Amino acid sequence: MVYMGRIKTPLGIFLAASTEKGVVKLGLPGERETDFIEELETLFGKSYVLDEDISGFNSPINRRLKEELLEYLDGRRKNFTVPIDLNGTPFQKKVWFELLKIPYGKIKSYGQIARELGKPGAARAVGMANNRNPVPILVPCHRVVGSDGSLVGYGGGLEFKKFLLELEGVRFSGDRCVIEE
């Protein structure tokens, strides 16, 4: 069963979906709920998606996600402990696990991630895996930037990416992040 709920925050409504194993999808404010639900139904089957607002059942994992996400957005949490249940290709999962190693308040370039995976020419492939990250913020794809520190792509928009990086204390020079080697 996949439990789908909504998390109201000062930034808007996040959409959350979890199994008994962990969070499988996190939708950022502005994401269309119909698209979010359609993707869940495609992955898991329509009869396996339970809307918590309709059923009255609240998943313990979604409750924990809400608590931790609100703490993070309030600047009171640096690491997430809510379990995640990642679905993706083997390469995507390698990239996502590498992203989990980027500490709060730090950034890396797509090229750095590719080199750390032993695939120095795969910066674009890393970017594509980033783009398919089903649980942004929890798997911190917002901490990955262009080689020159530019904010390159983000599902929630570049302003939201900049907000998250500033929340974490990342330094900027103009519109670019300062990459510390």
Side-chain angles (χ1 to χ4, degrees):
M1 187 63 64
V2 179
Y3 304 97
M4 187 272 203
R6 295 150 195 86
I7 301 171
K8 293 177 184 157
T9 76
L11 301 175
I13 296 174
F14 286 78
L15 302 170
S18 65
T19 63
E20 291 82 9
K21 293 180 185 176
V23 180
V24 293
K25 188 160 176 56
L26 180 64
L28 300 174
E31 183 169 343
R32 289 181 36 178
E33 188 170 315
T34 54
D35 294 343
F36 185 87
I37 293 169
E38 277 181 22
E39 189 170 337
L40 290 175
E41 290 174 346
T42 299
L43 287 170
F44 299 99
K46 189 172 186 171
S47 61
Y48 291 98
V49 178
L50 180 70
D51 187 324
E52 293 178 335
D53 289 347
I54 294 171
S55 71
F57 176 81
N58 288 36
S59 152
I61 291 177
N62 283 352
R63 277 196 307 268
R64 185 166 158 195
L65 171 61
K66 176 181 180 178
E67 177 183 307
E68 291 188 11
L69 184 61
L70 289 171
E71 290 171 355
Y72 169 80
L73 294 172
D74 195 36
R76 296 180 290 127
R77 173 172 290 277
K78 294 183 178 180
N79 298 301
F80 290 92
T81 61
V82 64
I84 54 178
D85 183 9
L86 293 173
N87 293 289
T89 68
F91 180 76
Q92 288 171 334
K93 288 181 180 182
K94 283 180 186 177
V95 170
W96 299 335
F97 286 117
E98 198 63 37
L99 300 182
L100 287 168
K101 297 177 186 175
I102 305 172
Y104 180 94
K106 302 292 182 190
I107 55 170
K108 289 192 176 181
S109 72
Y110 295 96
Q112 284 175 305
I113 299 291
R115 287 189 296 278
E116 288 168 4
L117 290 172
K119 300 190 178 289
R124 285 181 191 255
V126 167
M128 291 305 296
N130 242 20
N131 179 262
R132 298 299 304 155
N133 175 10
V135 288
I137 301 176
L138 304 179
V139 173
C141 55
H142 63 280
R143 296 180 188 152
V144 184
V145 298
S147 59
D148 62 356
S150 58
L151 300 181
V152 183
Y154 191 66
L158 296 182
E159 286 300 315
F160 192 62
K161 182 173 185 170
K162 186 173 184 180
F163 168 82
L164 294 173
L165 292 172
E166 288 177 333
L167 174 72
E168 294 185 10
V170 171
R171 293 185 311 124
F172 281 80
S173 177
D175 286 338
R176 297 174 193 251
C177 299
V178 176
I179 298 178
E180 299 169 10
E181 295 288 331

